[in-house]
Amino acid sequence: MTDNTTRSQQADALLSKLKQEEKGKLTVFLGAAPGVGKTYAMLSAAKERLQQGADVVVGLVETHGREETEAMLVELEILPRKEIGYHNTYLTEFDLDSALERRPELILVDELAHTNVPGSRHKRRYQDVDELLSAGIDVYTTVNIQHLVSLNDLVMQITGVRVRETVPDSFIDDAYDIRFIDLPPVNLVERLQQGKVYLPEYARLAMDTFFSISNLTALRELAMKRVIEQVDAHLISELEAKSEKADFILKDKLLVLISTNSDHSYLIRIGRQIAERRQIPWTVVWVDTGKTQDLPRRKRLNDAMVMAKELGASTEVLRGSSTYRSILPFLNEHRINTVLVGAGTRRQFLWHRKRLYQQLIESGLPVEVSVYRAPEQLKMPKEPELRVSPLGDKKGHMFGIVSTAMATVFALLLQQVLSSGNLVLFYVIAILAVGLKFGARPALATAIWSFLSFNFFLTAPTFTFQVHSQDDVATLIFLVCIGLISGPAASRIRNQFILLKESNQYAETLRELAQELSVADDENALWKSVNRHIERAVHVKCYSVTAAKDDHKQFVPLLLTPLKHIDDSAIDWVFLHGRIAGRFTDTLSASQLTVIPVLQEKKVIAVVALCWDKSQTQFNPFEQELVHAMLQQASSTWQRIHLVSDLESARVKTEVEQIRSALLSSVSHDLKSPLSAMMGAAESLRVFDKQLNEQDRFDLLDTILQESRRLDSYIQNLLDMTKLGHGTLKIERDWVSIDDIIGSALSRLKRYFPSVKVDYIRHNEPPLLYVHAALIEQALFNILENAVRYSPDEEPITIVMDTNQNQCRVSIEDQGPGIPKADQKEIFNMFYVVSDGDQKKQNTGMGLAICKGMISAHGGKVRAVDGARGRGTRIEVDLPLDYPNMKQE
């Protein structure tokens, strides 16, 4: 075995160990039969823990009237039982909710295999114990060896009694400690005779049936063997976790093949024993060949799959027209070493196909094929609806007779028009129709009816079964051959069509859902799509439920009527434990909802509630598989939506951080520079007042004035950006000429840059604009100021005004270094400064952003393009002239 595999085994063992440490510890007191002293031993161990200072509570202990057991309950805190109404009476049960609320360090729960009263949260007591363990509470419990599921058949063979209350072996496998409570069979019989196990009136009956010496000896041996296997399994797990086992070998793999034609629960139990004995992984497989499954068969399949999972097996459903041809690729792909199959029943025909185990043996694959036949005492009497006629579906035979009769009528009506060879085709159509609808056996029977009908009514001499014409003999032979070939062929086509239909439905449903989820951009759209597709696939009302931060549940779609208390409890339980609950499960099965968790990395992100009608009696494996596949897609989409949201939040955070840095940099430079100049000029005037001449004083005062204006302009830009960002900038419109606005902006520009050269070109008469003149002037001034800063001193700034029917365009072009095309859209963003030479200029990156905001507020547009002669940059401002359609403010 490779090092990677060894490390993987070690990691799995460590992970399993860590999971066990997170949960409460389960201690099982295991006995071979009732009366060996399990409850007494459990109470003794609990008192030891109590003396050590542990918080111990008795959740439920059955004393069965034994005085010594009742005496052990002294000094122990006993949790009151819960009363549950059932059939006009009240029964008491273990109060799981009170135990979880009390939350002791250790709780005692007797009789692990007990079946709870209907109306309890869980169907079985071991499920109550599992919830206690998940809450981190240690549990002491008791169980007899005959209650283990995998030993159910073996116990029946030994004792002749079918034990109905069972516990999954996998639950016992996870126990922290198993303590074998032993009592020799002779001593146990003595206790029984003394009335210490059952009341005297029941003791004699028990000794005559279950409590014989031979039975008790066999059960004792089973219990000892089970404890030894548990010790071996723990040892292997510890060695793998510590990586102390150097001689790892490749483990075998076991496959248990089941069918719906027979009750193969005994095969699953045998498979569990083999897998436990060899310490190998195992899989239970059913092959869907396309045959329609009635309700009893579907129920049998559901029960088998549930049992397999309870016993720790993985389950698979394969699809194909033949069990043998479907299973071979699976055996090769998964490197299965051992196959466990049932013996089947021999067909009562002169010819018969080889049985499946014979085909597997002759396949040439390196597999061990183990064949088991259900012992006679394990064969349960078949219910009437489960009996299948060897001739096939009775409805098919009736349909075949009717089809043959109709074909005969048509043939008699057209006898004078068509030849015998053509009349045969009516019967061929009838045979094909029966084969396609009801399978091979009714089709073969229809071929026989067709042969006899054609011979009796259509061959001379008529109304006899004699044939005189050689042509008629050939026609009859042809009819029989066609029937024998086409009937089974039509049946195979029918089965393949059913399989193809189911596969197409499965794939098409998932494809349509994936297509919708690919464009879902929020959780509401996600859950609406999931609900719609589940309702279409399962034909049941579906709700998606998510939990808000305040623990308030949100339903999609909204609930029109409030839920029942048990339905609400099922949803809460699934949110808490991440496992399916509700109808068709063993947890809160009285609910009308089946609640399925949607998991993302073992965390419940939502649940899906299927609201069944009372008339619906099952949730079949195909539907369950399809729903789980859809929920996996929903989980992936939920993750994508949240990843996109997180990325967007990170992007916004990054942009805000960039803006903050840019603002701090801008403030530190653009506030400090004019303030430093103003402070220096003022300091010079105060210190050197008498030494300065008039010109020097004028220059210093002018510096203070210019720098204060510069500071005022910067602060005004900040205020304008704040108003634009918060939507508080007021636009008071009036009619004004664009020529006046441009002239005012140029006059203002001359005050700041006296030496600037500007060429103003008008292509049309200046139009009147319905605008806020001061804002448009400020926008144009910002563009002009930016152009002056980046143009050479001797190069002029060009302004071009042009109009068309809808808008007025003002273009401002400089002769500077230009702006790369990649940056031409970005320069209108706040604090964005082109780095190519621009960083040497005093520029805050706010002027063009303010310009864009003011122009956009008037319904206009602004953009940057390359200069006309390949030099510089041209800023184009478009202002609308379509005044009637403009929003009046």
Side-chain angles (χ1 to χ4, degrees):
M1 179 173 289
T2 64
D3 293 339
N4 288 338
T5 307
T6 303
R7 286 194 294 270
S8 176
Q9 283 188 336
Q10 184 183 1
D12 291 341
L14 287 172
L15 182 61
S16 176
K17 191 174 181 180
L18 288 173
K19 288 181 178 179
Q20 287 182 352
E21 291 176 356
E22 291 176 359
K23 299 177 62 176
K25 295 177 181 178
L26 174 65
T27 300
V28 178
F29 293 81
L30 177 68
V36 297
K38 302 182 299 299
T39 303
Y40 189 90
M42 178 179 68
L43 291 170
S44 299
K47 282 201 168 184
E48 290 181 8
R49 288 286 300 273
L50 183 66
Q51 293 172 0
Q52 295 170 3
D55 181 16
V56 181
V57 170
V58 176
L60 186 144
V61 166
E62 298 289 357
T63 64
H64 297 291
R66 300 166 191 160
E67 295 180 358
E68 63 272 20
T69 304
E70 292 176 352
M72 292 295 293
L73 291 172
V74 178
E75 299 179 0
L76 289 173
E77 178 185 348
I78 301 176
L79 197 70
R81 300 192 184 189
K82 181 179 181 180
E83 289 189 349
I84 300 176
Y86 181 66
H87 287 179
N88 299 322
T89 187
Y90 283 92
L91 303 175
T92 60
E93 273 292 359
F94 169 57
D95 194 340
L96 176 59
D97 291 322
S98 296
L100 292 171
E101 184 178 355
R102 171 64 175 78
R103 199 177 180 83
E105 185 178 346
L106 170 65
I107 189 167
L108 279 60
V109 183
D110 206 5
E111 297 187 359
L112 183 65
H114 173 74
T115 300
N116 292 331
V117 175
S120 304
R121 180 184 304 175
H122 298 293
K123 182 178 179 181
R124 312 297 285 274
R125 184 167 291 169
Y126 76 82
Q127 294 174 305
D128 296 336
V129 171
D130 186 47
E131 191 163 339
L132 292 171
L133 295 171
S134 299
I137 302 173
D138 293 348
V139 178
Y140 281 0
T141 189
T142 64
V143 71
N144 291 320
I145 190 65
Q146 67 264 26
H147 293 294
L148 297 188
V149 173
S150 65
L151 302 177
N152 192 258
D153 292 333
L154 187 57
V155 169
M156 183 178 178
Q157 294 179 55
I158 294 171
T159 65
V161 177
R162 170 71 71 177
V163 178
R164 299 298 179 186
E165 294 184 325
T166 58
V167 177
D169 292 56
S170 56
F171 188 80
I172 304 296
D173 291 344
D174 294 334
Y176 172 77
D177 187 18
I178 295 182
R179 302 184 186 182
F180 178 45
I181 310 303
D182 187 28
L183 187 66
V186 175
N187 294 345
L188 180 56
V189 171
E190 289 178 358
R191 283 174 55 84
L192 185 66
Q193 292 172 342
Q194 295 169 2
K196 295 182 178 181
V197 179
Y198 294 122
L199 295 176
E201 56 266 28
Y202 298 111
R204 175 55 56 186
L205 177 63
M207 284 189 293
D208 292 339
T209 55
F210 192 87
F211 283 81
S212 66
I213 295 294
S214 59
N215 287 353
L216 294 175
T217 302
L219 293 174
R220 186 186 187 201
E221 183 180 347
L222 282 179
M224 290 179 176
K225 185 178 179 182
R226 184 65 181 80
V227 173
I228 293 172
E229 290 174 351
Q230 183 77 5
V231 172
D232 290 343
H234 277 294
L235 175 62
I236 293 172
S237 178
E238 288 293 329
L239 292 175
E240 288 179 347
K242 296 178 181 178
S243 190
E244 293 181 358
K245 188 175 180 181
D247 58 340
F248 289 115
I249 60 170
L250 285 171
K251 290 184 177 180
D252 292 341
K253 295 180 182 178
L254 170 66
L255 183 145
V256 179
L257 190 60
I258 64 173
S259 168
T260 57
N261 293 331
S262 302
D263 184 4
H264 280 166
S265 57
Y266 74 95
L267 274 182
I268 298 174
R269 296 188 183 100
I270 292 172
R272 160 69 194 196
Q273 295 176 40
I274 294 174
E276 179 68 21
R277 185 165 57 250
R278 300 185 185 181
Q279 291 294 304
I280 59 176
W282 61 301
T283 304
V284 174
V285 174
W286 173 65
V287 179
D288 183 1
T289 58
K291 295 181 179 178
T292 55
Q293 305 292 329
D294 56 17
L295 181 59
R297 283 189 174 89
R298 288 198 295 266
K299 184 179 184 303
R300 182 186 291 159
L301 176 62
N302 287 343
D303 293 343
M305 290 298 189
V306 169
M307 176 189 291
K309 291 177 181 177
E310 286 182 346
L311 292 178
S314 58
T315 58
E316 293 284 347
V317 176
L318 306 181
R319 291 181 174 83
S321 58
S322 164
T323 301
Y324 175 70
R325 285 193 291 270
S326 300
I327 204 68
L328 282 184
F330 187 84
L331 295 174
N332 270 321
E333 181 181 352
H334 294 82
R335 301 182 182 277
I336 304 295
N337 309 92
T338 305
V339 180
L340 184 62
V341 297
T345 55
R346 183 177 297 276
R347 291 176 172 83
Q348 303 300 320
F349 299 110
L350 295 177
W351 69 92
H352 62 272
R353 292 180 299 174
K354 290 182 179 179
R355 298 183 183 181
L356 179 60
Y357 68 83
Q358 294 173 316
Q359 293 176 301
L360 290 172
I361 292 172
E362 296 174 3
S363 66
L365 293 177
V367 293
E368 171 191 344
V369 181
S370 298
V371 185
Y372 283 84
R373 184 186 299 277
E376 290 299 325
Q377 61 268 36
L378 295 182
K379 293 181 180 178
M380 300 178 65
K382 293 184 179 180
E383 300 176 11
E385 64 268 23
L386 296 181
R387 295 174 182 168
V388 180
S389 170
L391 297 178
D393 191 346
K394 293 181 180 180
K395 291 182 179 179
H397 289 282
M398 295 299 297
F399 186 82
I401 293 173
V402 173
S403 300
T404 303
M406 293 177 63
T408 303
V409 171
F410 281 112
L412 290 173
L413 293 175
L414 299 174
Q415 185 178 14
Q416 303 300 326
V417 180
L418 301 176
S419 64
S420 297
N422 292 327
L423 295 177
V424 168
L425 296 178
F426 289 109
Y427 294 97
V428 173
I429 293 173
I431 296 169
L432 289 174
V434 174
L436 288 173
K437 188 169 181 61
F438 296 100
R441 294 177 184 178
L444 291 175
T446 304
I448 296 173
W449 299 127
S450 298
F451 169 83
L452 295 176
S453 179
F454 187 85
N455 186 6
F456 190 80
F457 291 104
L458 297 171
T459 60
T462 56
F463 306 113
T464 67
F465 289 107
Q466 299 178 6
V467 182
H468 292 170
S469 172
Q470 292 184 353
D471 291 340
D472 290 339
V473 172
T475 301
L476 288 171
I477 294 174
F478 172 75
L479 177 59
V480 172
C481 293
I482 289 295
L484 293 175
I485 295 172
S486 62
S491 177
R492 285 195 297 271
I493 293 172
R494 169 179 173 270
N495 291 340
Q496 291 174 357
F497 176 76
I498 293 173
L499 283 173
L500 182 61
K501 182 180 178 181
E502 285 190 354
S503 299
N504 284 346
Q505 179 187 352
Y506 187 92
E508 186 65 18
T509 300
L510 294 183
R511 185 193 67 78
E512 291 179 357
L513 178 60
Q515 187 174 1
E516 283 194 24
L517 295 185
S518 65
V519 297
D521 54 0
D522 61 71
E523 286 194 49
N524 194 51
L526 161 65
W527 301 124
K528 282 183 177 179
S529 296
V530 171
N531 292 345
R532 184 166 56 254
H533 282 82
I534 290 178
E535 289 175 358
R536 190 186 307 168
V538 187
H539 307 294
V540 64
K541 184 64 178 176
C542 177
Y543 293 92
S544 296
V545 189
T546 57
K549 293 182 179 179
D550 57 354
D551 292 333
H552 178 72
K553 293 187 286 290
Q554 297 178 342
F555 287 79
V556 180
L558 294 176
L559 281 176
L560 300 179
T561 56
L563 290 175
K564 296 180 180 178
H565 176 71
I566 191 169
D567 297 333
D568 200 46
S569 299
I571 293 174
D572 291 338
W573 193 89
V574 174
F575 264 116
L576 182 62
H577 296 88
R579 299 197 296 269
I580 186 172
R583 193 173 178 187
F584 306 122
T585 72
D586 288 341
T587 300
L588 296 169
S589 56
S591 171
Q592 286 300 310
L593 304 179
T594 297
V595 187
I596 308 172
V598 184
L599 301 175
Q600 178 60 236
E601 296 180 354
K602 298 183 180 180
K603 176 184 177 183
V604 180
I605 59 176
V607 302
V608 168
L610 307 182
C611 186
W612 303 93
D613 293 332
K614 292 183 179 180
S615 59
Q616 293 171 299
T617 57
Q618 65 160 341
F619 186 20
N620 65 55
F622 175 78
E623 292 173 340
Q624 293 182 35
E625 183 182 354
L626 182 56
V627 169
H628 283 293
M630 287 192 282
L631 295 185
Q632 287 177 357
Q633 286 189 341
S635 175
S636 300
T637 303
W638 181 91
Q639 185 180 33
R640 173 182 62 79
I641 291 173
H642 279 259
L643 283 175
V644 170
S645 177
D646 293 343
L647 289 173
E648 181 64 19
S649 299
R651 185 188 66 80
V652 171
K653 185 177 180 180
T654 302
E655 290 183 354
V656 169
E657 183 64 25
Q658 290 174 347
I659 291 175
R660 187 186 69 84
S661 299
L663 179 60
L664 290 175
S665 175
S666 175
V667 168
S668 64
H669 179 272
D670 290 85
L671 285 181
K672 186 176 181 180
S673 296
L675 283 174
S676 298
M678 293 165 62
M679 290 171 62
E683 183 72 19
S684 297
L685 284 172
R686 192 184 70 172
V687 175
F688 303 105
D689 181 45
K690 294 182 180 180
Q691 288 88 347
L692 297 175
N693 55 35
E694 290 296 324
Q695 183 61 40
D696 292 336
R697 289 192 183 92
F698 178 82
D699 290 341
L700 290 173
L701 290 172
D702 186 63
T703 298
I704 294 173
L705 181 62
Q706 293 295 332
E707 292 302 325
S708 64
R709 287 175 176 172
R710 175 182 165 193
L711 184 60
D712 179 69
S713 175
Y714 178 74
I715 294 173
Q716 186 61 44
N717 282 344
L718 287 175
L719 292 174
D720 289 344
M721 286 306 302
T722 302
K723 291 178 180 179
L724 286 171
H726 290 84
T728 59
L729 187 66
K730 294 183 179 180
I731 301 178
E732 299 176 355
R733 298 178 185 270
D734 200 358
W735 294 101
V736 62
S737 171
I738 185 60
D739 204 27
D740 293 341
I741 295 175
I742 294 174
S744 179
L746 289 175
S747 298
R748 185 177 170 190
L749 186 68
K750 287 288 186 179
R751 290 199 303 269
Y752 288 96
F753 305 97
S755 62
V756 67
K757 297 178 182 179
V758 180
D759 294 337
Y760 180 25
I761 304 171
R762 303 179 184 87
H763 288 167
N764 303 94
E765 281 296 320
L768 290 175
L769 302 178
Y770 188 64
V771 295
H772 191 304
L775 294 182
I776 299 300
E777 177 194 332
Q778 180 65 39
L780 296 179
F781 175 79
N782 287 350
I783 298 173
L784 288 168
E785 183 183 27
N786 198 66
V788 172
R789 290 181 183 277
Y790 296 106
S791 286
D793 294 338
E794 66 279 3
E795 296 289 344
I797 305 298
T798 303
I799 302 176
V800 179
M801 191 280 296
D802 196 3
T803 60
N804 56 30
Q805 294 180 351
N806 299 321
Q807 65 185 17
C808 171
R809 171 171 292 178
V810 179
S811 302
I812 301 173
E813 184 174 338
D814 62 50
Q815 301 300 317
I819 301 174
K821 288 187 178 296
D823 295 325
Q824 288 177 355
K825 291 183 179 180
E826 302 291 337
I827 61 172
F828 296 101
N829 295 334
M830 196 191 314
F831 301 118
Y832 188 88
V833 179
V834 179
S835 61
D836 188 10
D838 295 353
Q839 60 188 357
K840 298 179 181 178
K841 303 289 184 180
Q842 293 181 356
N843 186 15
T844 65
M846 288 195 298
L848 293 180
I850 295 172
C851 168
K852 180 181 179 182
M854 292 177 172
I855 297 299
S856 298
H858 287 81
K861 295 180 181 179
V862 60
R863 62 180 174 274
V865 296
D866 294 335
R869 292 173 291 177
R871 288 187 60 195
T873 301
R874 184 168 75 250
I875 306 293
E876 297 179 347
V877 178
D878 294 334
L879 294 169
L881 298 176
D882 192 9
Y883 306 119
N885 295 331
M886 293 180 62
K887 181 180 178 182
Q888 300 298 318
E889 303 192 14

